[in-house]
Amino acid sequence: MIRVLHTADLHLGAPLKQLGASRETRREDFYRTFERLLTLAIKNEVHLFLVAGDLFDHPRPDTELVGRVQAGFKRLSERGIMPVLIPGTHDNVVSADSVYRRHEFPGALVLQDAVVDEPVRITVRGQEVYLYGFAYRSSASEGALAGMQRRCEEGIHIGLLHGSREGSPEWDYRKKDLPFTLPLLKTWDLDYVALGHYHDFDLLSDEKRVWACYPGSPEGKRFGENGPRFCTLANISPRQVEVEKVECQSRRLEGRTLDLSGCSGEQEAADMIAKLADKDLLLRLTLSGMVEAPLDLNRLQGLTAHHFFYLELHDRTRLFDSAFARRIEDENTVRGLFVRRARECMAKATETEGDVVEQAFREVLVRFHAFGGGES
């Protein structure tokens, strides 16, 4: 039996421009999580540190970051732990100046051939271990999955694959890079396949045993990668695997909905949002419910953003039956005419069209409220 730590999709060096002033701190979070994974590997006395693609977010990361990763891998190798990695889709080896062509990672084994002609054989604790993995290149990797087939009975056989599993919850909305199915993977007869590319944890097993695992991204890169993030610790024996799911993120992303029904204005809404305060949280907050007056989302953002590491507000509140809309509806003014016409449109709208009318109504009433005041 050998013990491995399996991670993937760290995306070190990701630009994260959408985070604005918080992006540099958040980029450092990703590196801190990499360091945490190294420490976990050392504390758990693993033999291999597996990275199943996209260690870096770009094939040409800056040299400072490369140096920090090299130093991290040196920490492992000095303790007898071998890093084993494959390039992914982001840190691919297509160009001649890609990171794995320009830089060495002493102590680490980088599987970057276009196909697996023969698995790499290493010895771990006196056991023969066979490693299968390749760097996908569309021009040279045709039929490469066939090379993942187990070659012999003796030893422990481990695959690394950065690909897309048909049938996964992520299949419908992510790119279908290097597609495969679980039945196909099972025909390879490997003892464990360390997967990468999909960013949520997914254990591939049947009534017989565990076959493979996506650990998911260890740090959420974008909203949708919410909640705790994981790596896996796996004890691997011939045709038998025990997998432990280990939480490892530096900060969480979350998506929540806050019902502001009856809220009279931005300050009251801000007080309600402040009750969710968490300085380590990246929060996408959807505001819902029937409010009594339009909300200026920019002002509300200014009032509340300091309570969180990062805050993104989405306004889905309803105003059609608000006190403000009722008050101005009968006015002989542009805003009164707008409310009446909007109600006519809503009465004829389908459900999908109604959402659009509601959004337009909300945005226009925010402007009427700002420039015309709340009084009629």
Side-chain angles (χ1 to χ4, degrees):
M1 183 271 287
I2 67 167
R3 189 163 173 79
V4 308
L5 186 147
H6 167 205
T7 186
D9 301 290
L10 288 87
H11 290 281
L12 299 176
L16 306 177
K17 293 179 181 178
Q18 72 274 18
L19 298 183
S22 300
R23 68 173 182 162
E24 289 304 321
T25 302
R26 185 65 180 144
R27 280 158 59 92
E28 190 62 23
D29 284 347
F30 280 53
Y31 183 76
R32 286 197 299 125
T33 297
F34 171 67
E35 287 277 316
R36 186 174 296 111
L37 293 171
L38 300 178
T39 300
L40 276 170
I42 293 167
K43 286 184 176 179
N44 286 277
E45 300 181 335
V46 306
H47 307 108
L48 301 177
F49 183 89
L50 307 180
V51 184
D54 286 349
L55 172 60
F56 299 102
D57 191 66
H58 193 275
R60 293 174 292 278
D62 68 66
T63 54
E64 179 188 359
L65 178 58
V66 172
R68 295 173 78 181
V69 170
Q70 289 169 327
F73 284 164
K74 185 169 183 275
R75 276 182 64 199
L76 295 183
S77 61
E78 287 174 346
R79 290 162 175 81
I81 301 170
M82 176 183 286
V84 180
L85 53 150
I86 57 172
T89 49
H90 283 253
D91 57 0
N92 62 72
V93 294
V94 173
S95 63
D97 62 346
S98 69
V99 61
Y100 299 116
R101 293 177 184 267
R102 288 188 298 137
H103 300 282
E104 298 290 332
F105 292 87
L109 175 60
V110 183
L111 304 175
Q112 57 179 311
D113 290 340
V115 296
V116 180
D117 290 324
E118 289 294 332
V120 175
R121 186 176 69 179
I122 61 174
T123 302
V124 177
R125 294 180 61 199
Q127 302 177 82
E128 297 300 305
V129 177
Y130 296 83
L131 299 168
Y132 302 70
F134 59 92
Y136 179 73
R137 298 190 279 283
S138 58
S139 60
S141 297
E142 186 174 353
L145 291 179
M148 300 292 285
Q149 185 71 43
R150 187 186 191 108
R151 299 298 201 275
C152 60
E153 280 300 310
E154 64 268 15
I156 294 173
H157 297 251
I158 300 173
L160 291 87
L161 179 67
H162 194 81
S164 309
R165 181 179 74 85
E166 185 175 351
S168 163
E170 299 187 55
W171 173 263
D172 291 334
Y173 64 89
R174 285 197 183 273
K175 290 184 178 179
K176 316 266 188 307
D177 298 303
L178 201 56
F180 68 94
T181 64
L182 179 55
L184 174 64
L185 183 147
K186 289 163 69 172
T187 67
W188 302 338
D189 196 28
L190 301 177
D191 298 315
Y192 181 70
V193 182
L195 296 170
H197 187 46
Y198 284 170
H199 286 197
D200 286 330
F201 183 89
D202 190 11
L203 187 68
L204 280 58
S205 62
D206 59 17
E207 66 281 358
K208 293 182 179 179
R209 66 181 181 92
V210 170
W211 293 90
C213 185
Y214 286 102
S217 54
E219 195 70 31
K221 186 180 178 186
R222 59 178 66 86
F223 285 111
E225 298 174 29
N226 297 347
R229 314 305 299 169
F230 305 99
C231 67
T232 61
L233 293 169
N235 296 326
I236 308 173
S237 302
R239 295 185 174 87
Q240 183 177 350
V241 184
E242 296 175 355
V243 171
E244 180 186 354
K245 185 179 178 182
V246 181
E247 190 171 337
C248 61
Q249 78 283 339
S250 294
R251 302 181 206 267
R252 290 192 187 200
L253 287 78
E254 290 188 13
R256 299 182 191 173
T257 298
L258 179 62
D259 187 348
L260 297 179
S261 293
C263 184
S264 60
E266 281 100 5
Q267 189 56 59
E268 185 177 351
D271 293 342
M272 294 174 70
I273 294 170
K275 293 177 181 179
L276 306 175
D278 185 338
K279 290 287 191 177
D280 284 328
L281 180 63
L282 290 86
L283 179 63
R284 172 180 281 174
L285 186 62
T286 299
L287 308 175
S288 67
M290 184 69 68
V291 294
E292 294 307 311
L295 299 174
D296 183 334
L297 212 61
N298 289 331
R299 180 169 182 264
L300 194 55
Q301 179 84 26
L303 288 169
T304 57
H306 65 281
H307 293 300
F308 306 89
F309 179 80
Y310 175 79
L311 177 65
E312 181 178 299
L313 295 176
H314 292 261
D315 189 359
R316 297 292 182 269
T317 55
R318 291 173 289 120
L319 280 163
F320 260 84
D321 294 321
S322 67
F324 179 67
R326 292 194 303 272
R327 189 166 65 245
I328 68 174
E329 182 174 5
D330 294 328
E331 290 180 359
N332 187 24
T333 60
V334 171
R335 65 184 189 175
L337 177 62
F338 171 78
V339 173
R340 295 192 294 274
R341 290 288 175 84
R343 292 198 190 284
E344 292 173 8
C345 289
M346 182 63 86
K348 301 174 184 176
T350 65
E351 183 176 349
T352 301
E353 292 168 341
D355 291 339
V356 175
V357 174
E358 179 73 60
Q359 181 178 352
F361 187 81
R362 183 171 55 247
E363 291 179 1
V364 173
L365 257 65
V366 167
R367 287 160 176 76
F368 282 148
H369 193 264
F371 293 106
E375 302 299 326
S376 59

